Amino acid sequence: MTIEAAGRSFGRPIRRVEDPRFLKGAGRYTDDVTLHGQTHMVFVRSPHAHAEIVSIDTSRAAAAPGVVRVLTGEDYAAAGLGMLFCGWPAKSRSGEPQKAGGYPPLARGRVRFVGNIVAAVIAETRAQAEDAAALVAVDYRPLPAVTDVLEALREGAPQLHDDAPGNLVVDWELGDAAATEAAFARAAHVTRIELRNNRLVPNAMEPRATNAVHDPGSGEFTMWISTQNPHGLKTFTAVLTGIAPEHKLRFIAGDVGGGFGSKAFVYAEDAITLFAARETGRPVKWTATRSEAFLADAHGRDHHTIAELALDRNGRFLAVRAHTRANMGAYLSTSATLVPTFMSATLLTGQYHIPAAHARVDCVFTNTAPVDAYRGAGRPEAAYVIERLVDLAARQTGRDPAELRRINMVDRFPYTNPAGLTYDSCDFRAVLDKALAAADYAGFLARRAEAARRGRLRGIGMATYIEACGFGPSRVIGQWGGPAGAWESSEIRVLPTGQVEVHTGCMNHGQGHETVFAQYVADAFGVPMESVRLIYGDSGRGQHGNGTVGSRSGPVGIGALARSTARIIAKARRIARHTLGADSDEEISFENGVFRRTGTNQALTFAEVAWLAHGGQSFPTDEVEPGLHAAANFDPPNFTFPAGAHVCEVEIDPETGRTGIVRFVACDDFGNLGNPMIVEGQVHGGVVQGIGQALMEHAVYDPDGQLLSASFMDYAMPRADAVPPVEVLFHATPATANPMGMKGCGEAGAIGAPPAVINAVVNALDIDHLDMPATPERVWRALMARRAAAPAD
């Protein structure tokens, strides 16, 4: 389909149109919504990681001032409502389905992690609900807990779910094990690494929140919710809980203060809010405290991996294999098993031509918060494995890490990797060379010597990455066992005065949709951006959509816009043809918002045609319907594949172990850019999150299942003084899976940064490996261990 566009604003670094309202404090978040008869809900959460619930006494709480209702798991079960389940079924190597381990929103009989909800107190005010929640008496019988993924697999470990023996959810594999084994058998060198990908807490600025009201007459629910995917959430909630048919549910997301994946799932609190609204007959609001967010938001990462890379005598990669144990937490979140399997293992070979690959993934239950997608969702884990392997292989074989990467990079496209993903376009070597030049890689040794004179250790590290984005082609998702497609919708309504309403199923939660989508539509129609309004986040106003996850809004969301704008223009051209007296549509050109009859000076602006379209007087309405609107869905034929190279330079104080990042360069191929300024901001944010994981962030449980890092006092987040200016470079090769040539950019920084930082740290320390996070203590201990192992003079 040919897409006509004026090209005046799309692709330019235009300031975000949504920012003024945020800067003025005029954003409207879920917690800002107050309804007539509003009540407030507070949860009673388990203080134990694993325990039987002997009894729950709610009598004192129910009698407390202002209390409307107290609900427990017995109430939820008596109502006949369903449990939550993972929406992405994986199969074990034997073909056996994964062990689901249903998640009751209100616990019954047993709790399995600290923060598991055992009761909900609804009162007139939040303070009254908090006071009453303290009066709920729960008698627990503590049980042994297990929090470490390896310990959970050991014989005799505490058992979380009866239907998952040995705590094993699924034993999954991908690739050709025999070919991989044969390649390793003939290898001249094998590099082996054992590593941990540390657990993270998402920590969006706005905590999760819900506010639901039930209409007993119609049976309809309306819920305001902080989410990345209101349409998908509505569907999954209807299917899983059975609280109402899908057409009786309306989910509304106003402004959303970040998500990073963690607001894409169906949570227990969502189901309980709807249930409470029905039971009380009143609107019910819940807003998480930061402590609740630490305990109960879906965490990210937490993998243990043993990986090996086989090389021939010339440094060419022959094969790679990895065995990952992925911590799922106490229950399976919405896309839990998808992340370490298809979203990670399919990209284990990275940017490199590696003929054979094999991955095994054991997904494991533990007495910790559920784990799911977090910025990058499997791609950071894969990149970390292969990039640490390649760096260690370079060290062990005495090769320059840049050159080892360069000689093994894929250089012909399209290229199908061993997992079956087809990379459509890139120039990996050019991207790497551009990043190295900007980082002055050639001059590093002089800088290292200068740092040594000051008593500092200097290191440089690089990492390349490729990710599957533009989530995603329904055919592939179906092959992966996905429950539904991931196409995207758009609907455009041109009003009589030429103003344009654009409805999308994507969900803006910080990415700048209101700006970039308006840029595209304004160019397509030749109208000012101010004439375009983007409408999103309300399942009751637009077509079904699939939200914003997996860097899909540009490649897939604007892909749907491309189709609907083309249909609008085609219809407007027919109206212009009749109005101007042309014999065929081909006689009407359209450029810069003006329809012209070829060979004449007759013309109509887009706004004039919009007025005529609604009048219905200048064209035969039996041939062309009045009005000017169009709807379209776009299901991409393939993922898009953003790729890049990140270079990090660090300086370490050997006396304290403190690591300072002195330079960071990111060169990325995102295809064509809708708004380079917004893209650069996305890279900055992702890199900061990646630096946070590499150097400081770590969700730590003690052996009894208590979250030791449950506040910002104990969970370190990157601050301005920890992050240098990030130099962002682009090297575009257009994607082929959508008409705009876009690839997506939202997750790249969080994928490339962690291995680049750790490669720089181990380079400075002159050691083989150091697990994330490379805190000052860990770095100092590594230095002490290296000194102790050094031969005496």
Side-chain angles (χ1 to χ4, degrees):
M1 179 180 292
T2 301
I3 308 303
E4 301 183 55
R8 295 179 304 169
S9 64
F10 195 68
R12 290 176 52 207
I14 292 174
R15 290 184 178 181
R16 301 191 342 162
V17 300
E18 50 266 78
D19 284 349
R21 74 171 184 270
F22 298 136
L23 294 171
K24 296 173 183 176
R28 185 169 170 80
Y29 299 87
T30 297
D31 190 60
D32 294 322
V33 177
T34 299
L35 306 173
H36 178 70
Q38 186 73 67
T39 65
H40 299 263
M41 182 164 60
V42 168
F43 294 116
V44 178
R45 297 181 182 271
S46 170
H48 298 282
H50 201 192
E52 292 179 2
I53 301 174
V54 178
S55 64
I56 304 177
D57 183 353
T58 63
S59 57
R60 291 181 63 205
V67 171
V68 177
R69 187 73 186 270
V70 181
L71 298 170
T72 67
E74 298 301 325
D75 299 310
Y76 189 90
L81 300 179
M83 294 192 289
L84 308 183
F85 286 91
C86 179
W88 293 88
K91 291 185 178 180
S92 287
R93 294 185 295 158
S94 64
E96 185 181 9
Q98 68 187 23
K99 309 299 191 303
Y103 185 180
L106 282 157
R108 288 183 73 206
R110 199 194 301 190
V111 292
R112 294 179 171 88
F113 71 101
V114 173
N116 215 159
I117 300 171
V118 297
V121 178
I122 302 96
E124 300 291 346
T125 69
R126 183 181 180 101
Q128 289 173 328
E130 289 174 342
D131 290 343
L135 300 176
V136 175
V138 185
D139 185 10
Y140 297 99
R141 182 178 294 119
L143 299 169
V146 61
T147 60
D148 180 80
V149 66
L150 297 183
E151 291 298 324
L153 289 171
R154 297 192 194 283
E155 185 177 353
Q159 179 78 28
L160 269 76
H161 298 275
D162 294 339
D163 58 354
N167 297 316
L168 186 62
V169 177
V170 67
D171 170 15
W172 181 91
E173 72 174 343
L174 180 71
D176 190 330
T180 302
E181 181 61 37
F184 271 89
R186 66 176 186 272
H189 178 82
V190 173
T191 291
R192 182 183 187 275
I193 196 167
E194 181 174 359
L195 52 83
R196 292 263 185 171
N197 204 297
N198 43 320
R199 178 182 282 243
L200 305 174
V201 178
N203 280 317
M205 284 193 294
E206 177 210 22
R208 288 188 293 121
T210 55
N211 193 352
V213 62
H214 177 240
D215 183 340
S218 65
E220 296 177 353
F221 291 86
T222 300
M223 183 154 76
W224 286 261
I225 183 168
S226 180
T227 181
Q228 299 174 219
N229 187 6
H231 297 275
L233 208 60
K234 178 187 74 166
T235 301
F236 271 88
T237 300
V239 171
L240 294 175
T241 69
I243 196 164
E246 186 179 7
H247 69 292
K248 299 278 188 178
L249 294 174
R250 180 184 181 187
F251 281 31
I252 302 172
D255 289 321
V256 175
F260 312 119
S262 70
K263 291 180 181 175
F265 320 126
V266 182
Y267 281 95
E269 293 89 350
D270 307 345
I272 298 169
T273 304
L274 292 168
F275 177 51
R278 188 179 73 179
E279 293 300 296
T280 62
R282 303 268 299 276
V284 177
K285 179 193 288 189
W286 167 74
T287 301
T289 65
R290 184 58 63 181
S291 294
E292 285 182 297
F294 270 98
L295 291 175
D297 283 4
H299 292 180
R301 318 290 194 245
D302 203 349
H303 289 186
H304 171 274
T305 299
I306 296 174
E308 293 179 300
L309 179 66
L311 298 83
D312 70 13
R313 65 184 65 257
N314 297 315
R316 299 285 181 175
F317 300 158
L318 301 176
V320 63
R321 59 189 175 197
H323 189 176
T324 293
R325 278 83 171 189
N327 196 333
M328 296 287 97
Y331 302 98
L332 294 185
S333 181
T334 308
S335 55
T337 52
L338 171 70
V339 175
T341 56
F342 288 107
M343 293 304 292
S344 184
T346 52
L347 292 160
L348 179 61
T349 55
Q351 294 188 5
Y352 310 110
H353 174 62
I354 306 179
H358 182 250
R360 283 188 60 187
V361 179
D362 299 332
C363 296
V364 183
F365 283 127
T366 65
N367 294 113
T368 62
V371 179
D372 209 317
Y374 173 68
R375 196 170 192 170
R379 282 71 56 88
E381 295 91 319
Y384 188 64
V385 170
I386 188 62
E387 289 304 302
R388 285 296 300 120
L389 269 175
V390 172
D391 231 57
L392 183 56
R395 173 180 169 85
Q396 291 176 344
T397 60
R399 289 180 167 87
D400 178 80
E403 186 57 29
L404 183 61
R405 286 174 168 84
R406 194 179 287 112
I407 66 172
N408 283 286
M409 283 176 165
V410 172
D411 57 5
R412 294 184 182 180
F413 298 88
Y415 170 84
T416 301
N417 76 5
L421 294 182
T422 300
Y423 308 161
D424 59 340
S425 66
C426 196
D427 187 339
F428 296 147
R429 290 173 182 161
V431 172
L432 175 61
D433 289 344
K434 199 170 189 177
L436 292 174
D440 188 21
Y441 184 65
F444 169 70
L445 291 180
R447 296 191 297 278
R448 168 177 274 181
E450 187 278 330
R453 289 192 291 271
R454 292 184 285 107
R456 295 293 189 265
L457 303 175
R458 202 164 181 116
I460 194 165
M462 67 196 72
T464 68
Y465 74 89
I466 187 165
E467 54 169 331
C469 281
F471 200 79
S474 298
R475 176 185 56 82
V476 177
I477 290 171
Q479 292 171 354
W480 289 0
W487 47 268
E488 197 46 74
S489 67
S490 75
E491 182 180 3
I492 297 179
R493 302 171 187 174
V494 183
L495 305 180
T497 56
Q499 309 300 301
V500 184
E501 291 182 345
V502 178
H503 295 257
T504 179
C506 296
M507 179 66 213
N508 183 21
H509 54 283
Q511 295 85 354
H513 292 57
E514 293 177 36
T515 305
V516 183
F517 281 50
Q519 285 180 259
Y520 186 87
V521 173
D523 279 6
F525 295 155
V527 300
M529 281 183 60
E530 295 76 17
S531 295
V532 181
R533 180 190 177 204
L534 185 66
I535 299 170
Y536 58 89
D538 186 343
S539 69
R541 294 188 66 181
Q543 297 187 100
H544 181 86
N546 286 291
T548 295
V549 295
S551 299
R552 66 186 305 277
S553 292
V556 189
I558 297 180
L561 275 188
R563 289 188 169 182
S564 52
T565 54
R567 291 173 183 177
I568 290 284
I569 292 168
K571 182 176 181 179
R573 179 180 273 115
R574 289 197 297 274
I575 294 170
R577 184 246 296 181
H578 286 289
T579 304
L580 298 177
D583 294 326
S584 68
D585 291 354
E586 288 70 26
E587 291 182 50
I588 304 297
S589 66
F590 179 62
E591 187 176 1
N592 294 327
V594 179
F595 293 92
R596 300 183 187 275
R597 183 180 176 187
T598 304
T600 75
N601 62 355
Q602 294 177 291
L604 292 167
T605 66
F606 183 82
E608 289 173 329
V609 173
W611 184 266
L612 293 169
H614 287 83
Q617 299 162 340
S618 63
F619 55 91
T621 55
D622 58 342
E623 180 181 336
V624 183
E625 292 182 356
L628 195 56
H629 73 275
N633 297 330
F634 178 61
D635 193 3
N638 190 12
F639 293 111
T640 60
F641 293 93
H646 291 192
V647 182
C648 176
E649 193 165 332
V650 302
E651 197 169 277
I652 296 173
D653 180 348
E655 299 305 316
T656 65
R658 186 182 184 278
T659 300
I661 297 177
V662 294
R663 176 178 285 183
F664 198 102
V665 174
C667 183
D668 299 287
D669 180 358
F670 298 136
N672 295 332
L673 307 181
N675 185 313
M677 181 176 66
I678 289 177
V679 171
E680 188 169 345
Q682 287 287 305
V683 175
H684 285 165
V687 166
V688 170
Q689 284 183 277
I691 290 172
Q693 175 175 15
L695 296 183
M696 56 197 74
E697 295 188 50
H698 196 191
V700 179
Y701 286 89
D702 73 9
D704 295 325
Q706 296 297 324
L707 182 61
L708 301 180
S709 50
S711 76
F712 290 134
M713 294 292 290
D714 303 295
Y715 186 93
M717 296 279 284
R719 303 182 184 218
D721 63 351
V723 182
V726 177
E727 185 174 354
V728 178
L729 308 171
F730 301 122
H731 186 96
T733 60
T736 61
N738 60 74
M740 305 80 57
M742 302 175 76
K743 293 185 178 181
C745 66
E747 297 160 301
I751 299 172
V757 173
I758 294 300
N759 285 342
V761 170
V762 298
N763 178 254
L765 298 177
D766 192 23
I767 60 174
D768 284 352
H769 181 64
L770 185 69
D771 271 332
M772 297 187 290
T775 61
E777 179 186 359
R778 283 189 175 180
V779 170
W780 183 84
R781 289 185 182 279
L783 276 169
M784 295 303 103
R786 192 191 73 179
R787 289 176 183 174
D793 292 337

